[in-house]
């Protein structure tokens, strides 16, 4: 068979053929959040949709399968040995998912310690459950034991994806070539092998031995998970032996038997050289292989790029690759080895999508099908992330995001979280709007999380999630907790409003519809931008009272290149937070102030397709932010002294002192973020504390006293004190904390001064800093 070598093939056997994996996870991972109640006592029962295996924890499968793609009956003969731990006492019956109509026949034989067991399938309800009565009871919880299930039959095509189809293609010489390629998502694993279909009880490790007919070089080859350790030939048969030592969900187990051309490469991940395999259906035109190999070869850079943001490729001790021939979908993320449809081999977006699944779906799997978006949403977003990280891919990140956003908006009547009634079978998932929403709306939720966090915090949260949840299963609440931790902010309202649920439940708590915004803005001074929410309406049929989430706008100036994208978080009721580099404490008053490097002349709503919302923006010349005019008196807390748009500033707001009549005199301690004091104006601290958490700008002054305190926490700037008399240029204490850079422009007398080692105070020449 033709082979095309790129780099070298690296094979290694991690664990001997008779060993059971000694990985850390030997139990169904607990649900699920880092903040969840610590597990004590009994292991949980099955969380799989069928309820099988409720009294056992699957540790290891040794699967021996014999298939022949040239057999028109498409029969599979198998023997699956399952090692398990009991998680209940007095276990006398265990069960597995297995298709009744295919395998309830005389070939079915289950043995326990070499003794035949009695078996049965239910006569009604979910009939695809193999019940096994053991010849003796396992009395103690925590006992490791095993059963062997021998079976044979023709798998039925019972679901959306087909399970175990017999497929065909015509080669370039006009010959019909037969092959088999499994596709088990969502419930079609049981259609061809006995398993516990529960993502929270992953298979810790697995040996996969597949025997096919062999009659020389032009015959069948086998694709499967993990490392190919042997392919012994015995007369007219060849047995391919694969081993994987990473936890794996049952629906990700795969089998492909076809005439393949095999191509090899490698990619370096950290200090590990990862073997890369590409199996392509044999007998095609040369251009088929040239174009497919060119596309797949680009993915090695994406492996490294994803790894730089999410943590190393999760299966680097085994392999990465793609194999040809999938039917029923463009791609399927079989763990370590994604199957790709012939028509999608050159689709970089499809290859990117399936590669992202190795992190989201394979390494960290959704706990139940309700949270399928945790796999598909991230994989869809990966289609836009990949060309951003690897520009040589040559396609537009914006076009992928924009297409995703438009599709998501078209699914506004469907939540991306799937209620219990729609996870009954594959058809209720994939032949409904949920089957699209998990991709499109899911991808937009991922995009919004990035807009909320900013890149550093977004990717750190995901790296923590991937690292701490490796080999386990998660729900939406699990993911939320990692973002809560990195942001030190509770995003529950965002997840409720845009996702709609977590784990098993009958009804969505939100997630239906999307907001339509009207944003008001103004630029009252040079390089200054004020933003607020004029209104939020919702699309028809929404089940959300008010969408709590990010708003993204782009500000542009009068000159080419003057533009910046701004993200803020809308909590409702006029409460807004700065976002895009974490989330600030919510501020009331419905106005945020920004210092730009240019004066904005226009604001455009989310023209970069980053949120699951639509909107517009208009200029409101009355939106002057928290601007002091002092038209009534000197009282900071009298709203009549402030711009009518916004009233008294909340703590940590941006404030401008633009006194018309009376300068502000603080009646108590006040905290601001950025403080602007216009020329000739001043603010009097009196006997209180003024805390500046951001910068100070303008050429106005601060008036102190012997009882005044000034605390500088941010980047600050130039500080000038009123010089009318000795008291005005006095402070009881001056504190300059880490990160502040202060230029003192006037004389000041300070009783107590505290300067952090990581702060900087510069005194202008001729200026006196007098300490007592």
């Amino acid at each position: 068979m033709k082979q095309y070598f790129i780099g070298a093939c690296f094979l290694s056997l991690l664990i001997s053929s008779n060993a059971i994996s000694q990985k850390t996870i030997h139990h169904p991972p607990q649900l699920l959040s880092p903040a969840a109640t610590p597990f004590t006592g009994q292991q949980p029962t099955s969380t799989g949709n069928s309820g099988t295996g409720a009294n056992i924890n699957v540790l290891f499968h040794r699967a021996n399968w014999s298939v022949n793609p040239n057999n028109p009956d498409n029969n599979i003969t198998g023997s699956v040995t399952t090692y398990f731990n009991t998680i209940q006492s007095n276990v006398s019956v265990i069960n597995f998912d297995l298709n009744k109509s295919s395998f309830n026949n005389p070939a079915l034989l289950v043995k326990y310690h070499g003794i035949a067991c009695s078996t049965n399938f239910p006569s009604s309800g979910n009939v695809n459950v193999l019940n096994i009565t053991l010849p003796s009871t396992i009395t103690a919880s925590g006992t490791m034991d095993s059963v062997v299930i021998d079976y044979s039959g023709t798998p039925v095509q019972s679901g959306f994806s087909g399970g175990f189809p017999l497929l065909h293609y015509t080669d370039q010489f006009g010959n019909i070539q037969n092959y088999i390629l499994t596709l088990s998502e969502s419930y079609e694993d049981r259609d061809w092998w006995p398993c516990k279909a529960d993502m929270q009880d992953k298979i810790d490790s697995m040996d996969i031995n597949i025997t096919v007919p062999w009659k020389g070089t032009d015959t069948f080859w086998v694709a499967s998970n993990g490392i190919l350790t042997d392919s012994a030939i015995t007369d007219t048969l060849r047995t391919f032996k694969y081993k994987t030592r990473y936890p794996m969900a049952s629906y990700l187990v795969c089998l492909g038997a076809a005439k393949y051309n095999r191509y090899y490469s490698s990619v370096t991940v950290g200090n590990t050289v990862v073997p890369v395999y590409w199996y392509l259906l044999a007998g095609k035109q040369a251009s088929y292989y040239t174009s497919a190999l060119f596309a797949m070869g680009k993915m090695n850079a994406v492996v490294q790029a994803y790894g730089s943001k999410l943590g190393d490729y999760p299966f680097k001790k085994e392999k990465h690759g793609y194999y040809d021939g999938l039917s029923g979908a463009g791609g399927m993320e079989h763990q370590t080895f994604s199957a790709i449809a012939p028509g999608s081999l050159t689709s970089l977006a499809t290859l990117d999508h399936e590669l992202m699944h190795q992190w989201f779906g394979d390494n960290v799997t959704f706990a139940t099908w309700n949270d399928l978006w945790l796999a598909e949403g991230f994989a869809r977003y990966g289609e836009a992330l990949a060309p951003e990280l690897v520009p040589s891919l040559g396609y537009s990140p914006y076009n992928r995001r924009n297409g995703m956003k438009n599709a998501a908006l078209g699914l506004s009547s469907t939540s991306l979280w799937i209620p219990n009634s729609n996870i009954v079978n594959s058809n209720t998932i994939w032949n409904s709007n949920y089957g699209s929403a998990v991709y499109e709306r899911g991808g937009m939720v991922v995009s919004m999380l990035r807009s909320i966090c900013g890149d550093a915090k977004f990717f750190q949260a995901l790296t923590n999630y991937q690292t701490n949840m490796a080999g386990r299963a998660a729900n939406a609440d699990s993911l939320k907790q990692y973002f809560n931790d990195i942001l030190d902010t509770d995003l529950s309202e965002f997840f409720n409003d845009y996702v709609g649920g977590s784990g098993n439940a009958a009804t969505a708590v939100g997630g239906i519809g999307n907001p339509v915004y009207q944003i008001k803005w103004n630029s009252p001074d040079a390089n200054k931008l004020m933003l607020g929410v004029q209104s939020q309406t919702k699309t028809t049929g929404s089940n959300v009272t008010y969408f709590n989430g990010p708003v993204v706008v782009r500000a542009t100036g009068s000159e080419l290149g003057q533009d910046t994208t701004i993200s803020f978080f809308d909590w409702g009721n006029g409460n807004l937070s700065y976002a895009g580099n974490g989330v600030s404490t919510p501020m009331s008053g419905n106005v945020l102030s920004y210092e730009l490097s240019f004066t904005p002349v226009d604001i455009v709503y989310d023209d970069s397709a980053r949120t699951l919302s639509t909107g517009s923006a208009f200029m409101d010349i009355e939106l002057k932010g928290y601007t002091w005019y002092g038209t009534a008196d000197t009282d900071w807390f009298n709203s009549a002294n402030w711009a009518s748009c916004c009233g008294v500033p909340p703590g940590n707001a941006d404030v401008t002192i633009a006194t018309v009549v009376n300068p502000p005199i603080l009646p108590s301690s006040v905290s601001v973020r950025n403080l602007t004091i216009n020329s000739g104006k001043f603010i009097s601290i009196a006997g209180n504390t003024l805390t500046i958490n951001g910068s100070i700008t303008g050429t106005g002054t601060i008036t102190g006293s012997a009882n005044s305190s000034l605390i500088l926490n941010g980047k600050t700037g130039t500080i000038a004190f009123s010089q009318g008399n000795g008291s005005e240029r006095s402070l009881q204490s001056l504190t300059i904390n880490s990160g502040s850079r202060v230029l003192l422009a006037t004389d000041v007398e300070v009783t107590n001064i505290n300067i952090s080692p990581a702060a900087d105070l510069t005194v202008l020449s001729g200026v006196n800093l007098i300490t007592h």
Side-chain angles (χ1 to χ4, degrees):
M1 184 173 286
K2 177 183 175 184
Q3 294 185 340
Y4 178 86
F5 291 88
I6 305 175
C9 175
F10 296 86
L11 291 176
S12 61
L13 175 59
L14 298 182
I15 299 178
S16 67
S17 61
N18 294 319
I20 296 177
S21 168
Q22 298 301 308
K23 294 182 68 63
T24 301
I25 299 174
H26 276 315
H27 54 81
Q30 309 312 312
L31 258 182
L32 281 164
S33 149
T37 302
F39 169 72
T40 57
Q42 183 74 333
Q43 297 276 8
T45 55
S46 175
T47 52
N49 200 52
S50 65
T52 58
N55 52 6
I56 62 171
N57 165 34
V58 172
L59 301 177
F60 171 80
H61 290 299
R62 182 182 299 109
N64 297 314
W65 290 314
S66 294
V67 298
N68 181 0
N70 286 332
N71 181 353
D73 292 337
N74 194 29
N75 184 81
I76 182 171
T77 297
S79 178
V80 177
T81 301
T82 301
Y83 286 81
F84 58 86
N85 271 342
T86 57
I87 56 176
Q88 296 176 6
S89 57
N90 298 317
V91 172
S92 59
V93 176
I94 59 175
N95 44 41
F96 294 92
D97 295 273
L98 187 64
N99 191 289
K100 178 180 180 178
S101 64
S102 296
F103 304 113
N104 186 22
N105 58 46
L108 180 63
L109 176 64
V110 180
K111 291 185 177 181
Y112 174 73
H113 296 186
I115 302 173
C117 304
S118 63
T119 61
N120 68 79
F121 290 86
S123 59
S124 61
N126 179 15
V127 299
N128 296 313
V129 174
L130 172 63
N131 296 308
I132 301 167
T133 301
L134 303 176
S136 59
T137 298
I138 307 172
T139 57
S141 178
T143 301
M144 178 184 282
D145 219 321
S146 65
V147 293
V148 180
I149 302 174
D150 295 334
Y151 67 106
S152 183
T154 299
V156 298
Q157 308 307 305
S158 63
F160 171 79
S161 55
F164 191 88
L166 178 60
L167 302 168
H168 320 274
Y169 69 96
T170 301
D171 66 20
Q172 64 175 319
F173 307 108
N175 301 313
I176 295 176
Q177 302 292 348
N178 303 315
Y179 68 100
I180 293 168
L181 195 151
T182 60
L183 175 55
S184 299
E185 187 177 359
S186 295
Y187 298 106
E188 286 64 54
D189 41 10
R190 69 190 181 196
D191 286 352
W192 61 281
W193 73 286
C195 57
K196 179 182 176 182
D198 178 357
M199 283 78 73
Q200 292 179 64
D201 184 8
K202 289 188 174 182
I203 308 157
D204 287 24
S205 61
M206 190 166 182
D207 287 357
I208 300 171
N209 306 316
I210 304 168
T211 299
V212 294
W214 183 261
K215 56 179 181 179
T217 55
D218 184 26
T219 190
F220 299 112
W221 197 267
V222 169
S224 194
N225 314 91
I227 297 173
L228 178 61
T229 63
D230 192 17
S231 57
I233 300 171
T234 305
D235 297 327
T236 59
L237 299 175
R238 188 168 189 173
T239 299
F240 294 81
K241 296 184 177 182
Y242 284 88
K243 299 180 185 295
T244 181
R245 297 299 182 254
Y246 289 100
M248 179 168 55
S250 60
Y251 80 93
L252 296 172
V253 176
C254 67
L255 183 162
K259 294 180 179 179
Y260 285 123
N261 288 357
R262 285 104 56 208
Y263 309 88
Y264 308 106
S265 180
S266 65
V267 59
T268 300
V269 175
N271 295 320
T272 302
V273 178
V274 182
V276 177
Y277 298 84
W278 304 315
Y279 288 4
L280 300 177
L281 295 174
K284 301 294 187 76
Q285 296 286 346
S287 59
Y288 183 85
Y289 304 109
T290 301
S291 57
L293 291 170
F294 181 75
M296 291 187 296
K298 288 177 174 285
M299 293 301 107
N300 286 357
V302 182
V303 171
Q304 294 171 323
Y306 282 167
S308 71
K309 299 298 184 182
L310 306 169
D312 283 353
Y313 174 68
F315 310 110
K316 63 183 181 180
K317 293 183 179 180
E318 293 188 353
K319 74 179 179 206
H320 154 64
Y322 302 99
Y323 65 104
D324 190 4
L326 183 67
S327 177
M332 177 60 207
E333 62 276 16
H334 296 137
Q335 191 160 301
T336 71
F337 210 18
S338 295
I340 306 294
S344 298
L345 286 169
T346 58
S347 168
L348 297 178
T350 299
L351 299 177
D352 291 331
H353 180 109
E354 303 308 328
L355 177 55
M356 180 64 103
H357 267 311
Q358 299 299 317
W359 282 265
F360 296 94
D362 293 12
N363 185 42
V364 183
T365 309
F366 43 90
T368 64
W369 293 99
N370 309 81
D371 288 302
L372 175 58
W373 76 274
L374 292 175
E376 300 301 350
F378 276 95
R380 179 67 95 210
Y381 187 74
E383 298 173 25
L385 179 63
E388 176 188 337
L389 300 179
V390 186
S392 61
L393 291 176
Y395 71 93
S396 166
Y398 166 75
N399 287 345
R400 298 307 295 186
R401 282 199 313 272
N402 193 49
M404 180 169 57
K405 175 171 182 171
N406 289 333
L409 293 174
L411 293 161
S412 62
S413 62
T414 305
S415 68
L416 63 91
W417 171 87
I418 308 175
N420 289 349
S421 59
N422 274 84
I423 62 167
V424 174
N425 56 52
S426 290
N427 287 321
T428 58
I429 296 173
W430 300 109
N431 287 335
S432 70
N433 281 343
Y434 293 107
S436 298
V438 293
Y439 291 85
E440 316 300 350
R441 294 179 74 85
M444 290 311 300
V445 165
V446 177
S447 177
M448 288 190 286
L449 285 168
R450 187 177 180 186
S451 294
I452 293 167
C453 296
D455 280 6
K457 289 181 169 60
F458 173 73
F459 289 117
Q460 187 60 59
L462 294 182
T463 298
N464 295 345
Y465 173 76
Q466 285 291 322
T467 301
N468 297 334
M469 299 294 290
R472 300 176 63 189
N475 59 20
D477 284 344
S478 313
L479 180 71
K480 178 185 70 179
Q481 189 61 49
Y482 282 93
F483 280 98
N484 286 356
D485 290 346
I486 206 76
L487 295 171
D488 196 24
T489 301
D490 187 359
L491 293 183
S492 292
E493 288 302 317
F494 168 77
F495 273 80
N496 287 343
D497 295 344
Y498 283 99
V499 175
S502 178
N504 287 125
T507 306
V509 298
I512 296 176
N514 55 271
V516 180
Y517 274 102
Q518 193 174 32
I519 302 300
K520 55 185 178 180
W521 70 278
N522 190 29
S523 180
D525 297 296
N527 296 1
K528 181 157 285 189
L529 173 64
M530 302 294 177
L531 289 173
V533 174
Q534 178 68 17
S535 66
Q536 182 199 100
T537 57
K538 299 168 295 181
T539 52
T540 303
S542 175
N543 63 347
V544 177
T545 302
Y546 191 94
F547 282 90
N548 292 253
V551 174
V552 174
V553 298
R554 183 168 64 93
T556 59
S558 59
E559 297 181 13
L560 185 66
Q562 291 182 334
D563 72 278
T564 188
T565 297
I566 295 169
S567 174
F568 66 88
F569 197 102
D570 176 19
W571 299 95
N573 297 316
N575 295 303
L576 306 177
S577 291
Y578 296 96
N581 183 23
V583 180
S584 70
T585 301
M587 293 189 295
S588 60
N590 192 29
V591 63
L592 296 174
S593 175
Y594 296 86
E595 293 289 336
L596 306 181
S597 60
F598 59 89
T599 299
V601 298
D602 194 19
I603 297 294
V604 182
Y605 192 89
D606 193 22
D607 63 342
S608 53
R610 299 181 189 276
T611 69
L612 189 52
S613 63
T614 59
S616 60
F618 72 97
M619 188 174 187
D620 179 359
I621 61 173
E622 297 300 320
L623 187 65
K624 298 179 179 179
Y626 297 109
T627 302
W628 173 274
Y629 293 123
T631 52
D633 52 35
T634 62
D635 184 359
W636 181 275
F637 295 106
N638 183 351
S639 61
N641 290 317
W642 296 91
S644 60
C645 67
C646 307
V648 177
N652 207 37
D654 290 351
V655 171
T656 298
I657 307 302
T659 307
V660 175
V661 181
N662 302 299
I665 300 174
L666 301 187
S668 60
S669 295
V670 165
S671 175
V672 300
R673 190 176 76 129
N674 297 316
L675 176 63
T676 300
I677 309 175
N678 288 350
S679 178
K681 315 306 177 185
F682 70 90
I683 178 174
S684 177
I685 304 175
N688 302 294
T689 299
L690 172 62
T691 301
I692 303 174
N693 293 313
S695 63
I696 183 167
T697 57
T699 58
T701 60
I702 295 173
T703 296
S705 73
N707 298 313
S708 300
S709 295
L710 179 63
I711 300 174
L712 307 175
N713 290 324
K715 60 183 179 181
T716 321
T718 301
I719 301 287
F721 291 87
S722 303
Q723 300 292 303
N725 55 57
S727 177
E728 290 182 350
R729 60 175 182 265
S730 298
L731 291 174
Q732 196 278 328
S733 70
L734 172 62
T735 301
I736 307 176
N737 286 319
S738 176
S740 292
R741 300 291 181 265
V742 180
L743 177 65
L744 182 61
T746 62
D747 294 349
V748 64
E749 297 183 27
V750 182
T751 302
N752 297 301
I753 186 167
N754 300 289
I755 304 176
S756 166
D760 179 62
L761 172 62
T762 301
V763 180
L764 281 179
S765 177
V767 171
N768 297 305
L769 171 60
I770 303 169
T771 59
H772 299 287

